[in-house]
Amino acid sequence: SVHSPLDQITKDQVRQAAKYLGLSNWNAAASPCLRSRLAMGVMATEEHLRAVEFAEAFVREVLELDETINARVRMLSGGKAMVELDNSIIESVEDYDLATKLNDHGFGDKCI
C-alpha cells in the first residue's frame, strides 16, 4: 500500500506551508486539467480543448482576474459554454460581452 505524509493535512495547511517556503503560487486557485471542462459526451478533440483554453484566458483577461480567482469555462453539449466564476466577482460580469467573443471561438449558445 502507498502512504503519503500529506494525507493527514488540510488544503489550508498545504497553502500555509507553501507560503512559508516562499512559493509564488501558494494561494493560486485550483486548476484541474482541461479535459475536466468538457461535459460528458463532448469529445476531447484538440479543437475543443483549445477553445476552452482560449475562453478561460479571454475571461481572465477581460475581467482582469489574477490567479487567486476561480474562473472556468466549461463546454457543454451542442457547443454551449458555461462560465463559472467566484461569487466575489459575479456582479462585475454584466459589464462585459463575453458571449459574443466566446461565440467567435467555437461556442454556440451560452450559459453565463
Side-chain angles (χ1 to χ4, degrees):
S1 85
V2 175
H3 296 282
S4 170
L6 299 179
D7 70 353
Q8 301 298 314
I9 64 175
T10 66
K11 185 185 293 188
D12 189 50
Q13 290 171 319
V14 170
R15 289 183 185 279
Q16 289 174 8
K19 183 178 181 181
Y20 175 79
L21 293 171
L23 300 178
S24 63
N25 64 342
W26 69 271
N27 66 341
S31 184
C33 80
L34 284 176
R35 177 59 181 106
S36 70
R37 314 295 205 290
L38 304 179
M40 293 291 287
V42 176
M43 302 251 334
T45 65
E46 184 175 348
E47 179 183 356
H48 289 162
L49 295 172
R50 285 183 191 262
V52 169
E53 185 175 41
F54 169 84
E56 288 189 0
F58 171 75
V59 168
R60 287 191 168 284
E61 180 181 330
V62 168
L63 298 179
E64 299 176 358
L65 305 177
D66 65 29
E67 67 279 351
T68 65
I69 302 292
N70 284 303
R72 306 276 186 278
V73 175
R74 299 197 186 275
M75 181 177 279
L76 308 177
S77 63
K80 294 179 181 177
M82 179 170 59
V83 177
E84 299 173 355
L85 302 167
D86 279 347
N87 286 335
S88 62
I89 56 130
I90 285 292
E91 291 179 7
S92 67
V93 172
E94 296 175 4
D95 297 334
Y96 300 95
D97 187 12
L98 296 176
T100 299
K101 189 66 172 178
L102 292 174
N103 188 48
D104 293 342
H105 290 279
F107 292 97
D109 295 330
K110 315 303 177 287
C111 299
I112 297 180

